[in-house]
Amino acid sequence: MEEEDRYSKIIAGTMTWGSWGKQFSTAQMTDMIQYCFGMGLTTFDHADIYGDYTNEASFGTAFLQSGVPRDKVQLITKCGIQFDAETRPNRVKHYEYGKAYIISSVERSLKSLQTDYVDMLLLHRPSPLMHPGEIGEAIRTLQKAGKIRSFGVSNFSPSQIAVLETELPVMGNQVEFSLTADEVLYDGTLDDCLAHERMAMSWSPLGAFFREKTERTARIRKAMEPMTEAYGASYDQLLLAWIMKHPANVYPVVGTATKERLADALKAATITMDLQDWFILHEASRGQEVP
C-alpha cells in the first residue's frame, strides 16, 4: 500500500477541539470522533502543543470511549515546539530536536493518546540547530520499537528535507497552502513532494478567505460566485477543490470543529475543478494574469 493510501483524503485537524477553540467536553469530543469516522474521515491531525499540551490527552480519553477501532483510523502528531505553558515552563519559545527529547515527546504523546503507535510523526517546524544524525537515531529507535509507522515534517523547505534525508526518508510535509497562501506553488515545496512522492498536506487550507475582507478576497469571491452554481458547491468546497487540483495530490487538514463544515469538506474531494477555472481563481488571488 502506498503511504498516501492509508489516510482519508480530508484530514480532521484537532487543534481547535480543546482549550484553543471549542473546549469540547469528553462526551462532545467522543461524538465528534464517531461522527468523523462514520463519514469516512478517518485521519486525525494532532500536535503535542495543541491546547497548551493538553489536547492529545483529551482526545485519547474520548477516543477510548468512542468504540472506534484503532486500526481503522490514522493518528498524525507533531513534536519539537517548546513554549511557556502551565504544563511546561520554558524561558523562551524554541525548538528542540535532540534524540532524548524526540523519544520522550513521542512516548508522552502515545500515553496521552492512549495508543501504542502513531501513524506518522512530524517535526513541527525546522530548527536552525537541528542535527540530522541525532534526529535519524531517534526516529530509527522509535520505528524499531513500533511506536511510529512513518516519519515526516511540517513547514520544511526542500533543502531542509534534503539535509534530513542524508539520514532517513521523509514521507510527508505538512505546509500552509491555500488560494490566499500559495507560495509553496513557486518555492519548490510542492515540486519536492511531487518529485519524491512525499505526502503533501495543507494546513489552513481555506486561507484568509473567510477571515479577512480585502481587495484580494473580494476578487476571489467575485470569481467564485458563478462557480458555486456551476459546480453546485459552496465557497469552502471550491477552495478545497482548488488545492486538490494540484498534481502533488494534496491532503487538506481541515481545522473546523463544526460537523456540517466537515461534511462539506468531504464532498469537496469529489469535485474535479476545470483547468481554466483553476487559473481564473489563481489570477483572482494574485491580481494579475500568469506570465
Side-chain angles (χ1 to χ4, degrees):
M1 180 184 289
E2 293 289 331
E3 179 66 29
E4 295 177 357
D5 294 339
R6 299 174 53 231
Y7 305 92
S8 56
K9 183 57 184 177
I10 301 295
I11 296 174
T14 65
M15 186 177 74
T16 62
W17 288 21
S19 64
W20 285 3
K22 290 287 188 177
Q23 301 184 27
F24 284 152
S25 66
T26 299
Q28 288 172 317
M29 199 171 288
T30 298
D31 178 61
M32 196 67 163
I33 293 167
Q34 292 170 332
Y35 178 79
C36 289
F37 182 72
M39 290 193 303
L41 201 165
T42 61
T43 304
F44 299 88
D45 180 76
H46 295 270
D48 58 349
I49 66 168
Y50 291 166
D52 289 349
Y53 303 97
T54 65
N55 262 33
E56 288 181 322
S58 298
F59 182 94
T61 300
F63 184 76
L64 205 63
Q65 294 184 15
S66 72
V68 172
R70 174 64 183 92
D71 63 347
K72 301 297 182 184
V73 300
Q74 305 79 44
L75 302 180
I76 298 170
T77 196
K78 312 175 196 73
C79 75
I81 298 178
Q82 292 265 44
F83 62 84
D84 185 40
E86 186 176 332
T87 55
R88 194 178 300 191
N90 280 295
R91 290 181 293 115
V92 63
K93 184 179 179 182
H94 62 286
Y95 309 119
E96 188 166 350
Y97 290 126
K99 177 182 177 180
Y101 176 77
I102 293 173
I103 292 172
S104 64
S105 181
V106 169
E107 288 174 344
R108 276 195 300 269
S109 289
L110 294 178
K111 184 178 179 180
S112 295
L113 292 167
Q114 301 196 43
T115 184
D116 295 328
Y117 67 94
V118 292
D119 294 85
M120 186 181 287
L121 173 72
L122 308 179
L123 304 186
H124 206 155
R125 287 190 179 272
S127 169
L129 298 180
M130 62 187 179
H131 191 290
E134 194 153 357
I135 291 169
E137 284 185 26
I139 299 306
R140 284 190 292 270
T141 299
L142 290 164
Q143 287 180 323
K144 187 176 181 180
K147 295 179 179 180
I148 63 173
R149 295 196 167 175
S150 292
F151 167 68
V153 295
S154 184
N155 306 299
F156 275 55
S157 70
S159 64
Q160 290 162 338
I161 292 174
V163 170
L164 286 180
E165 287 207 312
T166 61
E167 284 289 327
L168 75 169
V170 176
M171 304 304 294
N173 193 8
Q174 186 179 124
V175 296
E176 184 177 16
F177 178 41
S178 67
L179 190 53
T180 58
D182 62 1
E183 292 80 5
V184 292
L185 288 173
Y186 297 102
D187 66 8
T189 300
L190 291 183
D191 296 335
D192 172 76
C193 288
L194 190 58
H196 297 280
E197 298 184 345
R198 275 185 248 289
M199 182 178 173
M201 294 165 275
S202 160
W203 60 264
S204 192
L206 302 182
F209 182 77
F210 293 105
R211 293 197 313 265
E212 300 175 6
K213 289 187 176 181
T214 62
E215 289 184 10
R216 186 183 199 183
T217 57
R219 288 195 308 267
I220 294 170
R221 184 176 293 272
K222 184 178 179 181
M224 273 206 297
E225 196 169 342
M227 295 183 194
T228 59
E229 186 173 346
Y231 288 94
S234 61
Y235 288 118
D236 49 351
Q237 287 171 332
L238 290 172
L239 290 167
L240 294 175
W242 187 87
I243 289 171
M244 290 185 282
K245 178 75 173 176
H246 194 278
N249 193 27
V250 179
Y251 284 63
V253 180
V254 176
T256 182
T258 304
K259 289 180 177 179
E260 294 75 19
R261 296 194 74 178
L262 279 171
D264 283 347
L266 275 177
K267 292 174 187 173
T270 66
I271 298 171
T272 301
M273 182 169 284
D274 174 78
L275 177 68
Q276 293 193 48
D277 285 341
W278 190 94
F279 277 98
I280 286 170
L281 294 181
H282 187 47
E283 178 181 285
S285 177
R286 290 245 152 182
Q288 60 186 22
E289 291 183 349
V290 294

